Amino acid sequence: MTSSASIQRWVTTTSNCREDEIRPVLLSFGGFGMVLASYFFLLPLRDEAGVALGTTALPVLFAASLLLTLVFSPTVSSLLHRYADKGAGMQVLYRSMAASIFAFFWAYLLAGSPVQEEVPDVHHLMTWQQRAVRAAFYLWVSLLNLVGMATLWARASDVFTPEAGTRLFGVLGAGATTGQLVASLLAAGAARLPVVVVGGVSLVPMLLSVCCLEAAGQLMSRVQLTAAAEDLARQRRQEPADPSTGLTPWASLLQGIRVIRGSGYLQRICVYVVFNYFVSSFFYFEKTIIVARVPDAGVRTTWFAMINSASASFILVLQLAVTGRVMRALGVPRALLLTPLAAAALMAGVAAAPAPVAIAAAEVTRKVLTYALARPTREVLFTVLSREEKYGAKVFMDTVVQRIGDAVPLCLAWAGAAWGLGRQHAAAAAVNLRLRKHSGGSTGDEEEATAEWRGEAAPLLG
């Protein structure tokens, strides 16, 4: 009892939490922590899989991730719509996610280790089965993180009122950061354990991730709406239980799109999300390109984990001590504006000095601002919406729209490179055809044509 009372006093003091909010805050804090812990146990393994496949494969992986998200996101929305008790639906979802990670654990073991893991271009030495498992794992982990966070914040925006969100969402974010910090610190050591090793990296973090997802499902199944949130639902003539059941996955997808098309408010949130993850992709690629120069897979995985733990330490302190106060002092508009301005300054700094230390510092700073301020503030925007918008449109936005923000810049860059190559080839081919028409077919003419081609076409290919 003493321990329970101490925890309640700490929550009340830290977040100005009211009595009926204490239980859902504590359960949500734990649920956020477990979902993020499950992801950050997997994140170094996912990043290492991306490096092993080769940095040239990343644009393809990001584009494939968009397609996978587009297929899987409506399935998640449909699942949640089928449950009047959203907590029970989330438990089923997280248990399914845990089962999928356990399947990848066995897939890695069955595929075996690549040959000569110390060679930097290890992707050239992997069998097609090993490449397929790593590519699928990379895509699936990215998707599970989107789905996990989207459903957690959808539930939080349902459980708490807009006023409560400005006070409490920083604390929920702190739960996520606590899970990130603990898992990042443990993952750095677990990846080096000499047991269940595949490709120079231990698979123990996969098993830890499975346990975290199961715990998250247990916790979130017990979260109930606060009294104020129930009153707000009744004022909107909605029962706390969502009557929108029985939707097929594609019907759920179309419903989410229709809701967004009919709301300028949601459309502006979509634009904000796309630009936010556009910038995140920039920093991710810069980080990956630099770390790919390190030949040892274990060292790369440990470095990824250390970056994650360093940023999480700063974020946790700010979320517990600063986020709620800053959100109330600045207001939602100014709080949302701060992160884009800071991101512009960080990108300019990285462009001016693209050194490893500068990129690492910029990545940590960006993550601190994003998760300590921008993400909690963004989630407050959804507290004024209906349940249909929270569990339909919001899940679509936090998965598909977010992945578009990741993938579209890369696809545009890829398309630009393809267009440029095509134009270079067409110009060089035209020069080649013209010179061959002028040559009479003799050896001297061909030698002269070759010399002219080198003079005219070579600069086009430079």
Side-chain angles (χ1 to χ4, degrees):
M1 293 298 293
T2 303
S3 176
S4 177
S6 299
I7 293 174
Q8 291 185 12
R9 281 198 302 272
W10 174 78
V11 172
T12 303
T13 303
T14 303
S15 61
N16 194 24
C17 185
R18 296 165 186 168
E19 185 176 352
D20 67 317
E21 297 168 341
I22 292 176
R23 177 177 171 81
V25 164
L26 290 176
L27 289 172
S28 299
F29 183 97
F32 272 75
M34 288 298 173
V35 170
L36 260 291
S38 72
Y39 174 65
F40 276 88
F41 275 127
L42 299 175
L43 185 58
L45 294 173
R46 189 209 70 164
D47 289 342
E48 167 55 26
V51 172
L53 290 167
T55 54
T56 55
L58 289 179
V60 178
L61 291 174
F62 269 64
S65 180
L66 173 59
L67 296 177
L68 180 63
T69 304
L70 187 61
V71 171
F72 192 72
S73 173
T75 303
V76 174
S77 295
S78 177
L79 172 66
L80 293 178
H81 277 305
R82 291 177 184 276
Y83 284 86
D85 182 357
K86 302 302 181 187
M90 292 178 71
Q91 184 176 15
V92 171
L93 174 64
Y94 293 155
R95 187 165 289 169
S96 301
M97 290 162 61
S100 69
I101 297 302
F102 191 64
F104 271 110
F105 173 83
W106 285 105
Y108 260 81
L109 289 179
L110 293 174
S113 296
V115 179
Q116 300 176 2
E117 296 89 346
E118 70 276 5
V119 178
D121 292 330
V122 66
H123 57 286
H124 294 304
L125 302 174
M126 290 191 292
T127 65
W128 72 266
Q129 294 95 333
Q130 291 163 351
R131 287 194 297 270
V133 168
R134 281 158 177 77
F137 180 73
Y138 185 97
L139 297 174
W140 192 245
V141 171
S142 301
L143 175 63
L144 293 192
N145 176 54
L146 292 179
V147 169
M149 293 308 298
T151 52
L152 282 171
W153 282 116
R155 185 60 175 161
S157 66
D158 196 22
V159 169
F160 300 102
T161 63
E163 184 275 332
T166 59
R167 290 185 287 107
L168 303 175
F169 279 10
V171 177
L172 302 189
T177 307
T178 301
Q180 173 187 344
L181 179 60
V182 173
S184 296
L185 293 173
L186 293 178
R192 287 292 198 177
L193 289 175
V195 292
V196 202
V197 176
V198 174
V201 180
S202 174
L203 301 184
V204 169
M206 286 190 183
L207 300 179
L208 296 175
S209 176
V210 169
C211 296
C212 288
L213 285 171
E214 174 61 27
Q218 295 287 344
L219 290 168
M220 295 308 296
S221 68
R222 292 168 170 77
V223 176
Q224 302 296 325
L225 273 67
T226 62
E230 289 181 353
D231 291 340
L232 186 60
R234 293 191 188 96
Q235 291 171 12
R236 294 170 177 160
R237 296 184 178 180
Q238 288 182 316
E239 293 298 324
D242 187 357
S244 303
T245 57
L247 290 175
T248 64
W250 289 108
S252 179
L253 172 66
L254 294 176
Q255 181 189 38
I257 294 174
R258 282 195 298 268
V259 171
I260 293 172
R261 286 183 60 186
S263 171
Y265 182 74
L266 291 175
Q267 291 170 16
R268 284 187 286 275
I269 297 177
C270 287
V271 173
Y272 181 90
V273 170
V274 167
F275 280 112
N276 177 62
Y277 288 98
F278 184 109
V279 174
S280 298
S281 295
F282 167 81
F283 285 105
Y284 175 79
F285 269 82
E286 288 293 329
K287 178 185 70 173
T288 303
I289 290 170
I290 288 175
V291 178
R293 300 169 186 168
V294 179
D296 184 78
V299 172
R300 290 196 301 262
T301 305
T302 303
W303 193 89
F304 282 128
M306 290 176 64
I307 288 291
N308 294 333
S309 61
S311 58
S313 302
F314 291 109
I315 294 169
L316 179 60
V317 173
L318 292 176
Q319 285 173 326
L320 290 174
V322 176
T323 298
R325 294 181 176 88
V326 170
M327 287 173 63
R328 291 196 297 273
L330 294 180
V332 172
R334 293 186 182 88
L336 288 173
L337 182 61
L338 184 60
T339 303
L341 295 177
L346 291 173
M347 291 179 73
V350 170
V357 174
I359 292 174
E363 173 73 353
V364 171
T365 304
R366 183 194 64 82
K367 283 188 174 182
V368 168
L369 289 173
T370 297
Y371 294 106
L373 185 61
R375 187 63 188 261
T377 306
R378 191 182 94 199
E379 299 305 331
V380 171
L381 298 175
F382 293 95
T383 58
V384 299
L385 302 177
S386 66
R387 271 199 151 194
E388 179 187 15
E389 291 166 323
K390 291 170 184 173
Y391 289 103
K394 182 180 181 349
V395 171
F396 175 83
M397 291 166 64
D398 283 353
T399 53
V400 176
V401 175
Q402 178 174 328
R403 188 54 70 209
I404 288 173
D406 286 335
V408 166
L410 303 175
C411 292
L412 291 176
W414 192 6
W419 177 254
L421 286 172
R423 287 179 63 86
Q424 283 183 301
H425 172 268
V431 172
N432 184 68
L433 179 62
R434 178 172 59 82
L435 294 176
R436 287 194 175 277
K437 284 183 178 179
H438 288 310
S439 68
S442 64
T443 303
D445 289 336
E446 288 186 0
E447 290 178 354
E448 182 180 352
T450 300
E452 289 186 43
W453 184 89
R454 287 173 179 169
E456 292 188 39
L460 297 174
L461 303 177

